[in-house]
Amino acid sequence: MFDLNSLNPQQRQAVETLHGPVLILAGAGTGKTRVITCRVAQMIRKGISPAQILAVTFTNKAAREMKERVAELVPRDALKDADGRVLGPTVCTFHSLCVRILRQHIEKLGYKRNFVIYDESEQLGAIKKILSQISARGEKTDPKLVQSLISRVKNNGHKPPEGSDEGGRALAEHVLKRYDSALHACNAVDFDDLLLLGLRLFREHPEVLQACRDRYRYVMVDEYQDTNAAQFELVRLLTGEHRNLCVVGDDDQSIYGWRGAEIANLLDLEKHFPEVKIVKLEQNYRSTNVILRAANAVIKHNPRRRGKQLWSQKGDGALITLHAFETDEEEARTIVEEIEFQRMARNVPWGRQAILFRTNLQSRPFEMALRQAGVRYRLIGGQSYFDRREVRDFLAYLKTFVNPHDDISLLRIANVPARGLSDVTMERLLAASQERHCPVFAAMRHTDVQAGFAPRTRESLREFIALIEETRAPLQSEAPLSLSAWAERWLSRIGYLEDLRRGEKNRETADNRARNLKELVCDLDGAPPEPRGADRLSAFLEEITLDQEREEEEENAGDAVTLITMHSCKGLEFPHVYVVGLEDGLLPHSRSKLEGTLDEERRLFYVAITRAMHTLTVSHCLGRKKYGQVVACHPSPFLKELPEDLVEDASERSSAPVSAETGRNLFAAMKAAIRKG
């Protein structure tokens, strides 16, 4: 068990306040995760059943870390019930929580329990099909824009989102009805549906809500400032009876308004829970006081916020370095030189240094400069493992075997590898399915539909139907089944790996693709131990679909400089941080003035500043290359909000003389680094 005396007074107060509504206002780097896990452990220590505790996070990674930390703090015996069963607290994301509830009760809403969850590419596929049916000839509509609008409409409680133009809104609403209908026909839901269907269950079936309230008597929500309207309503309904709600968050780090997060959920908590107790965590364990004073000075310019002052016992530390560069290429080259100087002269590994920027486009000059200098780096937010073609194909096959009526997955793999089912054939089958109001697979099996095709195509259809049905059969049995061996058999039957290799001119690329697939096949046997293969496969697919983190590449990067956007860096920390491209139009972004989101852009700068532990370097360019031409830029107005006494101009620093002792130390460090290399 943990020792309460190891916590500071505010942390201890947060951990010991177990009943009623509590808001833990946790500033950046104030030990939030430790407080949450200690609070769970304290509940169990005080006799609250672990089975009655629900902790909701925003990412699977955060949920896993929290489970691991709770397991370290709580003895295993304390998690056992009277019958000796281990009953740990429920720690999951909002989406995972709703999946758990829907798997038990979704039949009340007219779905089957084996529903599938569409990921982004499958949603886009469904939207593209609908747009092709309703758009006038020659008219082009961006399906990603429609998808974004649909998501915003859903997350806004089916009300038009603020700031959207009337035409786009009308189109989204028109497509939405067809889209929902198409998904329902395939017994499929998307990410937003998970929350909305959970809410529908609670509202239309009070007995389901009551069962959840009885089970989850103590509810904690992490990153509360990132909740949207649907998530807030779920929490309000779950806790409205017992009111044992603890929310943890920081309004100063609310940077996801563009995807539906509502900062008002945190700022206006007293409207719904007037008796809420507020505990502020302001002692920072990450950064120096120079960095924290700069962050405090910037964020205080936001008028609507809950006041807090971060401070640290780490001392003042180095001043913030400010660079002004002629071009973005000079910025990249000089920052990379500084990174190498830190490594060679001060023994600072690449992995302890990070470059933060506002938009993904800004990474290109840095990637080029890093490659030219031979510096290893990892770009967070590059192509995901699960976005690769071979992985998408494999998952689409699995989804089809679980649910052949999943049109999006079926259409993706019908002719992969090529088996005589051309795009024209699939379009005709799609039209037939719409006429008969049935899924494509059901239309395929109609003898009158098959009769409309040429003999060779008919044969291809029958072979494909046989492949699906024969491969599915072992999944329906409760006999022991190795999913990896099962997958290897059908991959061999369709010749997928051979087809994959034939499609790549570069042998190394082909080998990498094949390796990706083989690793995924091996992962199948790590699926949860359900009796039927179909249930194990569903659980495997569910876990992959819900996991939006996609951390595989990032976790194995070793000693490498991190390139990351400001949005992606929240929750992370780095000893040495370079915040680059601080120009008006980039930060704050040009859109923010039109959309009235200047406060959120300032919070983004605040988040970037508070990632730094020891040193912080900020830079802007006087010109930036666009289409081969250098376009004039102006410094971000946020730079003026940094107190002058905390900032050191790089041009003045570089001209200052270095003492003989400092020179000797730097030279010795560089010699040691060269010998080590």
Side-chain angles (χ1 to χ4, degrees), residues 98-116:
C98 288
V99 168
R100 288 173 189 225
I101 297 168
L102 291 170
R103 286 282 177 221
Q104 290 181 303
H105 304 288
I106 199 167
E107 287 164 331
K108 296 177 189 290
L109 302 178
Y111 291 80
K112 296 174 190 169
R113 284 197 185 189
N114 68 336
F115 64 87
V116 292

Side-chain angles (χ1 to χ4, degrees), residues 5-6 16 32-33 60 69 85 115 119 151 156 198 283 286 289 320 326 377 379 425 429 479 494 597 653 667:
N5 293 321
S6 65
E16 292 187 307
K32 174 193 72 167
T33 306
N60 288 305
R69 290 210 196 183
R85 291 173 302 179
F115 64 87
D119 64 16
S151 181
N156 210 36
Q283 182 176 352
R286 174 186 299 155
N289 278 307
I320 296 166
E326 290 296 323
Y377 69 91
L379 174 63
T425 299
L429 285 166
I494 65 174
T597 54
R653 182 189 66 178
F667 185 63

Side-chain angles (χ1 to χ4, degrees), residues 167-425:
R169 203 163 63 225
L171 176 65
E173 288 170 1
H174 184 51
V175 174
L176 179 57
K177 290 175 186 171
R178 290 169 174 255
Y179 171 77
D180 281 343
S181 176
L183 263 63
H184 199 165
C186 298
N187 197 37
V189 299
D190 66 18
F191 258 57
D192 299 320
D193 289 332
L194 294 175
L195 302 178
L196 297 177
L197 291 173
L199 277 175
R200 251 188 76 194
L201 262 176
F202 283 175
R203 288 172 179 148
E204 295 176 13
H205 299 275
E207 74 281 5
V208 175
L209 173 58
Q210 192 58 50
C212 290
R213 283 176 170 175
D214 290 343
R215 172 157 187 198
Y216 302 121
R217 305 289 300 171
Y218 295 84
V219 178
M220 297 178 70
V221 184
D222 190 14
E223 301 287 6
Y224 190 67
Q225 75 281 348
D226 295 338
T227 52
N228 60 29
Q231 289 159 338
F232 168 77
E233 188 62 11
L234 278 167
V235 169
R236 191 186 68 79
L237 287 170
L238 261 182
T239 58
E241 189 175 72
H242 53 68
R243 302 182 80 74
N244 292 323
L245 170 66
C246 173
V247 300
V248 186
D250 180 9
D251 51 311
D252 290 337
Q253 295 185 73
S254 178
I255 58 173
Y256 297 124
W258 50 278
R259 67 183 190 201
E262 296 190 7
I263 192 172
N265 290 347
L266 190 147
L267 292 175
D268 300 335
L269 191 64
E270 288 90 340
K271 287 183 182 177
H272 304 277
F273 295 90
E275 74 275 35
V276 66
K277 183 168 187 175
I278 299 171
V279 181
K280 288 186 187 179
L281 305 182
E282 296 172 296
Q283 182 176 352
N284 177 285
Y285 294 90
R286 174 186 299 155
S287 309
T288 65
N289 278 307
V290 161
I291 292 166
L292 297 177
R293 285 203 296 271
N296 290 335
V298 167
I299 203 64
K300 75 177 183 186
H301 286 85
N302 275 1
R304 191 161 183 256
R305 58 183 288 263
R306 291 183 183 267
K308 65 189 82 64
Q309 284 285 113
L310 297 181
W311 61 277
S312 168
Q313 290 183 336
K314 287 191 165 189
D316 283 349
L319 293 176
I320 296 166
T321 302
L322 171 65
H323 285 277
F325 297 107
E326 290 296 323
T327 66
D328 50 340
E329 288 178 349
E330 185 192 336
E331 178 183 47
R333 192 170 56 250
T334 308
I335 294 295
V336 172
E337 286 170 0
E338 175 69 16
I339 286 169
E340 275 297 78
F341 174 76
Q342 292 291 338
R343 185 177 72 92
M344 298 287 284
R346 300 208 163 99
N347 205 23
V348 177
W350 290 326
R352 292 171 66 81
Q353 307 187 66
I355 302 170
L356 277 54
F357 38 81
R358 174 64 178 83
T359 70
N360 275 311
L361 290 173
Q362 290 168 260
S363 75
R364 192 190 61 79
F366 287 96
E367 287 194 73
M368 291 179 69
L370 288 161
R371 285 179 180 180
Q372 286 167 3
V375 176
R376 279 197 301 276
Y377 69 91
R378 58 174 185 165
L379 174 63
I380 294 183
Q383 190 192 27
S384 157
Y385 175 80
F386 292 106
D387 282 336
R388 290 173 176 155
R389 174 168 55 88
E390 67 279 10
V391 174
R392 282 208 171 279
D393 287 346
F394 182 71
L395 294 177
Y397 264 108
L398 296 185
K399 288 177 181 179
T400 302
F401 294 141
V402 168
N403 176 14
H405 301 310
D406 173 359
D407 282 357
I408 300 297
S409 297
L410 181 87
L411 291 168
R412 181 182 180 95
I413 53 91
N415 207 39
V416 177
R419 53 172 64 91
L421 299 177
S422 66
D423 285 349
V424 173
T425 299

